Amino acid sequence: AVLAMIFLLATVWAPIVEESIFRGALYRALRGRFWLLGAGFISAFVFAAVHGYVAVQLLMVFTLGVVFAVMREWRNSLVPCGTAHAMHNGFAMTVMLTASWFMRG
């Protein structure tokens, strides 16, 4: 039950909340002041920074943030980037849970 809750938090709650904050509010506010890449890079940097990972992971999360910002701009909607975010988290959680299951032996 706990693993199911964690999976749901990662694949439903986190994408909805994070996309609402970072691509909904922050990116939209920055886009009014900066061009596409400037707004995308700044919002992606903040997105990566709040995740608190080590440098290599920050680069990966930053890259995801830029891609999500481009999706937001391209479709003018949070649905595509929220869907991609949920799919990414779902894949990552599935890999982690599967690996931990195999490691238990």
Side-chain angles (χ1 to χ4, degrees):
V2 172
L3 290 178
M5 292 274 271
I6 292 169
F7 191 86
L8 283 173
L9 286 172
T11 59
V12 177
W13 183 82
I16 290 171
V17 171
E18 291 179 359
E19 293 308 316
S20 296
I21 293 169
F22 295 107
R23 260 61 67 187
L26 181 60
Y27 176 79
R28 184 177 44 180
L30 291 169
R31 189 64 175 101
R33 294 176 179 83
F34 299 100
W35 50 288
L36 169 65
L37 287 179
F41 281 15
I42 294 168
S43 65
F45 177 79
V46 176
F47 176 67
V50 301
H51 280 81
Y53 296 130
V54 296
V56 173
Q57 292 168 319
L58 285 176
L59 179 59
M60 291 186 290
V61 175
F62 172 81
T63 303
L64 281 172
V66 171
V67 170
F68 295 158
V70 170
M71 293 172 84
R72 166 73 162 94
E73 180 75 21
W74 176 47
R75 302 305 297 167
N76 196 30
S77 171
L78 294 177
V79 173
C81 49
T83 301
H85 193 154
M87 291 173 62
H88 171 269
N89 286 6
F91 177 76
M93 290 296 299
T94 300
V95 168
M96 288 189 309
L97 293 173
T98 303
S100 70
W101 183 78
F102 278 112
M103 290 179 153
R104 280 188 270 175

